[in-house]
């Protein structure tokens, strides 16, 4: 069994979900009381969010590289970011370590491809909806087109993530906003919806909509569990 190195704390709410999914998956695969061998380096999210909104990605890169290298030195066999947004720095992190980096876009792309979908809507933080690092990877490696909400919708999605979800605050009116955005993306041709922020599934699930949802947290964590054994 390989040891997972998890960079978490962004936020701790979603990191806890990663930990639960991975260990439940290991128990399901192996049976009995099995769980995953894992290490987690958890950061102070208040500090991370401050640097994100200030656009100080150079400082964030140094922090993430430091976390990844400490996990490698501690015995991790591969690295998982328990977050979507910080995959903006995935290439830099992967170059800084000598162990594999399990990218969330690859796990998500494989799941969408398996469902035979070609065009999906994307809900994420504003940082990542307006960048092409995920969209380009899905298009080039999986031939999947992504569409994003309009500017007003992006602002609402981002605000709810940072002002509510990362603090564990779940509000019905915010869920309604997300469901309206999902409906609008469907009208624009989205065959499915990527829940591309690790906090969004805390608010919206398959119980709330008929849209086909791709929960990147669930997909990424389950892929990490399979990677442990392969």
């Amino acid at each position: 069994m390989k040891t997972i190195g998890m960079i978490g704390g962004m936020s701790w709410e979603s990191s806890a979900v990663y930990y639960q999914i991975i260990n439940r998956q290991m128990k399901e695969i192996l049976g009995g009381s099995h769980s995953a061998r894992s290490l987690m380096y958890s950061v102070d999210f208040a500090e991370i969010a401050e640097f994100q909104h200030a656009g100080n990605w150079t400082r964030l890169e140094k922090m993430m590289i430091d976390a990844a290298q400490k996990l490698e030195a501690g015995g991790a066999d591969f690295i998982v970011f328990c977050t979507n947004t910080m995959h903006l720095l995935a290439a830099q992190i992967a170059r800084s370590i000598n162990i594999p980096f399990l990218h969330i876009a690859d796990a998500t792309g494989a799941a969408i491809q398996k469902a035979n979908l070609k065009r999906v809507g994307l809900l994420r933080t504003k940082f990542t909806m307006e960048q092409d690092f995920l969209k380009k990877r899905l298009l080039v490696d999986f031939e999947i087109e992504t569409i994003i909400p309009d500017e007003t919708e992006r602002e609402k999605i981002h605000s709810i993530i940072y002002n509510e979800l990362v603090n564990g605050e779940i509000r019905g009116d915010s869920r309604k906003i997300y469901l309206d955005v999902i409906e609008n993306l469907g009208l624009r041709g989205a065959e499915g919806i990527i829940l591309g922020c690790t906090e969004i599934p805390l608010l919206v699930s398959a119980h709330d909509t008929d849209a086909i949802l791709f929960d990147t947290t669930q997909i990424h964590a389950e892929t990490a569990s399979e990677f442990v054994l392969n």
Side-chain angles (χ1 to χ4, degrees):
M1 182 188 294
K2 296 185 181 72
T3 299
I4 307 173
M6 296 184 283
I7 303 178
M10 298 170 280
S11 65
W12 71 262
E13 297 275 354
S14 58
S15 299
V17 175
Y18 263 87
Y19 189 78
Q20 289 176 337
I21 293 171
I22 288 170
N23 284 294
R24 285 173 181 165
Q25 184 79 352
M26 292 302 296
K27 183 177 181 179
E28 182 177 331
I29 293 171
L30 298 177
S33 57
H34 283 286
S35 58
R37 292 183 181 139
S38 64
L39 303 170
M40 180 178 286
Y41 187 103
S42 189
V43 299
D44 178 359
F45 187 61
E47 185 178 19
I48 298 297
E50 180 181 346
F51 287 134
Q52 287 175 339
H53 286 94
N56 193 346
W57 293 93
T58 300
R59 175 60 177 157
L60 289 166
E61 179 182 335
K62 291 179 180 177
M63 293 172 70
M64 295 303 104
I65 288 175
D66 178 64
Q69 290 177 341
K70 284 179 177 174
L71 287 169
E72 182 178 11
D77 293 305
F78 67 101
I79 299 293
V80 172
F81 258 147
C82 299
T83 172
N84 274 264
T85 297
M86 296 307 288
H87 276 78
L88 277 164
L89 301 172
Q92 297 93 312
I93 304 307
R95 287 195 299 266
S96 74
I97 54 179
N98 300 304
I99 54 177
F101 179 88
L102 188 60
H103 201 294
I104 199 167
D106 295 337
T108 303
I112 297 170
Q113 199 171 62
K114 186 176 181 180
N116 294 316
L117 304 187
K118 291 293 184 181
R119 195 174 196 220
V120 294
L122 177 61
L123 302 184
R124 312 189 80 176
T125 64
K126 187 178 178 182
F127 303 124
T128 49
M129 279 191 287
E130 296 176 357
Q131 298 282 338
D132 68 353
F133 77 97
L134 175 68
K135 294 180 284 186
K136 184 176 180 180
R137 197 175 184 111
L138 289 177
L139 184 62
V140 172
D141 294 346
F142 298 94
E143 298 182 345
I144 296 167
E145 180 187 355
T146 55
I147 56 177
I148 64 173
D150 65 32
E151 185 175 357
T152 300
E153 291 174 330
R154 294 198 299 270
E155 291 287 352
K156 291 178 180 178
I157 290 166
H158 185 90
S159 176
I160 289 168
I161 290 170
Y162 276 88
N163 294 320
E164 299 172 24
L165 299 183
V166 299
N167 299 313
E169 184 179 345
I170 308 300
R171 294 175 49 174
D173 56 341
S174 296
R175 180 178 293 108
K176 177 64 166 56
I177 290 171
Y178 272 57
L179 293 176
D180 287 344
V181 173
I182 289 171
E183 182 177 354
N184 290 339
L185 289 170
L187 294 173
R188 291 170 55 196
E191 301 170 298
I193 303 293
I194 299 174
L195 303 183
C197 175
T198 41
E199 280 77 25
I200 293 177
L202 300 172
L203 182 66
V204 176
S205 72
H207 299 293
D208 304 307
T209 177
D210 292 330
I212 300 173
L213 303 180
F214 295 92
D215 176 352
T216 56
T217 299
Q218 185 80 30
I219 294 167
H220 197 207
E222 288 183 354
T223 302
S225 300
E226 294 165 4
F227 200 81
V228 166
L229 302 175
N230 294 334

